[in-house]
Amino acid sequence: MSERSLILNSQQITQKIDRMAWEIFENNSTETELVVVGIRSNGFLLAKRIAEVLGRISPIQIRLIELAINKQNPIEQEIALQVPGAELKDRVIIVVDDVLNSGKTLMYGVKPFLAVPLKRLQTAVLVDRNHNRYPIKSDYTGLSLATTLREHVVVEMDVAGKEAAYLT
């Protein structure tokens, strides 16, 4: 079994989420609505937490949507969005995931929005490993972490609010 090193505890994750929500609010303060799209499963839990904080700190209407994607092989099955893309026309969309590894998941995760005229498309991740193979970046990052290609970041989140991020 590989060693796990704690990189973020529950309190630190909460602080990162709060800071990311404030940044999102500051950069979108003139908007009346934001659509926060979480990539299933941890990405959606993170998006839900960000949406909750945004709801407390701003007057902006927050719409939370889940996006289903096969993270290992996104071409293998269709990407499923909870709502028709046409409902998102002229909106600000923020796509959220837990870890930005190579950029593949976020790259395919924004695909459903490419056929819709949006006001703005932004991305948010809790941990960015800085090993991008795809031309995608995170607009809002909780922690930027330099890792080797052999190391992995594992984020554990649950609905009870117990969470941690580990380097394995």
Side-chain angles (χ1 to χ4, degrees), residues 42-110:
N42 277 351
F44 181 72
L45 293 174
L46 180 61
K48 186 176 179 185
R49 297 269 308 276
I50 290 170
E52 288 169 357
V53 175
L54 283 167
R56 283 195 312 266
I57 66 172
S58 78
I60 301 172
Q61 171 100 24
I62 307 298
R63 184 170 181 186
L64 180 64
I65 298 174
E66 186 173 26
L67 179 100
I69 186 172
N70 180 336
K71 288 187 172 193
Q72 280 65 45
N73 190 356
I75 301 172
E76 195 172 270
Q77 64 192 79
E78 193 167 331
I79 299 166
L81 191 59
Q82 278 182 324
V83 299
E87 285 186 26
L88 305 175
K89 183 179 178 188
D90 297 323
R91 301 287 196 282
V92 175
I93 309 290
I94 301 163
V95 179
V96 180
D97 202 7
D98 58 344
V99 180
L100 176 56
N101 284 307
S102 67
K104 180 171 67 171
T105 300
L106 273 181
M107 179 66 91
Y108 283 96
V110 301

